[in-house]
Amino acid sequence: MAFLGVLAFSGSFPATVYAMRGFDPWLVAVGRAAVAGVIALACLKAAKRPLIPPRADWPSYALIVLGVVVGFPVFSGLALDLGSSTAHAAVVIGLLPAATAACAVLRASERPRPLFWAACASGAAAITAFTLVQHQGRPSWPDLLLLAALLSAAVGYTEGGRLARHTPGWQVISYALVLSLPLTAPVTAVLALTTPITLSPQALAGFAYVSVISMFLGFIPWYAGLARGGIARAGQTQLTQPLLTLVWAWFLMGERFGPATLVAALAVLVCVAVTQRART
């Protein structure tokens, strides 16, 4: 189930690039949450569920909103807008499983075995080396934005995985999106009226993907997988995301990437195999 979520997320960067060919980056980042929030509201009403979660869980939902509803889309979208290629961004975000595992220890009381941490650290080291080599030993502004994006996502994933232990995954992401609507809906309306929009099939398809799949549907199996398999361990399936995104970037956008990019992606793929053998 976690891998189904990863498969859905793997198309997010190419779809974001497509969307930004017709919409302002800020409109893409905030608007996707507003559209997904309306869908989530309709789903909760159709299922006759409460439209807001229990008050005791609000702090966790606030972290989900800051992490995956606002933080990750804004930071990653700006990184792509500032020139980061889809392939490069995908490999850098490969650090996300390590950050999620650390959050799982701090927030979800998980205790992975040493073998897990060794494989996790190896994957993180491969991606760090790749990033530094790409920029002559110094990170760029897009890389710093991608770092902020992955930290935001790690927090949002951990809190969502914790809540999904007692609340169905679709309700977890739905509540987070609905709680964010008072912010995302008016901001989206203002941006839609004040920023240039160039409608095209690519832009509309990209925006639809990040709104419906990346922001809503992908989280349903993802949070369920984190809850059932353990946040730290199931989260390591996301180490496969860089390789999947490289395939999408090549197939959809014709991006070319050198041997270093492929080696880094394959290195983290090996690491995920090891982490899946290391029981918590």
Side-chain angles (χ1 to χ4, degrees):
M1 294 190 75
F3 180 74
L4 287 177
V6 171
L7 187 61
F9 296 151
S10 68
S12 297
F13 284 163
T16 299
V17 172
Y18 274 177
M20 290 193 300
R21 291 176 179 175
F23 300 95
D24 181 84
W26 287 97
L27 178 56
V28 174
V30 181
R32 63 193 269 183
V35 172
V38 173
I39 297 173
L41 185 64
C43 289
L44 288 171
K45 289 183 68 69
K48 298 181 180 180
R49 304 302 303 168
L51 299 184
I52 57 174
R55 187 176 294 271
D57 291 332
W58 281 17
S60 289
Y61 281 104
L63 291 174
I64 295 175
V65 170
L66 291 174
V68 298
V69 176
V70 177
F72 183 84
V74 168
F75 291 131
S76 61
L78 291 177
L80 291 169
D81 185 56
L82 288 176
S84 176
S85 70
T86 302
H88 180 84
V91 177
V92 174
I93 290 295
L95 280 170
L96 180 53
T100 302
C103 288
V105 170
L106 295 174
R107 290 286 297 161
S109 301
E110 294 189 3
R111 295 293 182 268
R113 293 173 57 188
L115 177 61
F116 174 94
W117 287 116
C120 189
S122 297
I127 295 164
T128 301
F130 166 79
T131 302
L132 294 178
V133 167
Q134 292 282 296
H135 295 287
Q136 290 77 50
R138 288 179 291 181
S140 64
W141 275 111
D143 285 332
L144 295 177
L145 288 168
L146 289 171
L147 177 61
L150 74 88
L151 292 176
S152 298
V155 172
Y157 289 167
T158 301
E159 294 303 317
R162 289 178 63 245
L163 292 174
R165 291 171 177 173
H166 57 76
T167 303
W170 76 269
Q171 290 184 40
V172 172
I173 189 59
S174 293
Y175 285 143
L177 290 167
V178 169
L179 288 175
S180 70
L181 271 177
L183 169 66
T184 59
V187 171
T188 298
V190 170
L191 289 171
L193 293 172
T194 58
T195 59
I197 295 177
T198 304
L199 297 181
S200 69
Q202 274 192 355
L204 290 172
F207 188 77
Y209 188 98
V210 295
S211 300
V212 179
I213 298 179
S214 301
M215 197 78 261
F216 183 62
L217 293 180
F219 277 97
I220 297 175
W222 175 244
Y223 277 154
L226 294 183
R228 298 179 186 182
I231 297 170
R233 182 167 177 263
Q236 297 306 298
T237 58
Q238 200 159 36
L239 281 170
T240 61
Q241 185 169 324
L243 195 58
L244 292 171
T245 302
L246 290 180
V247 174
W248 290 122
W250 167 76
F251 180 72
L252 295 175
M253 307 174 71
E255 281 197 11
R256 301 286 185 235
F257 42 84
T261 302
L262 189 58
V263 168
L266 290 175
V268 295
L269 192 59
V270 171
C271 291
V272 71
V274 178
T275 59
Q276 293 309 289
R277 295 182 63 85
R279 296 290 192 272
T280 300

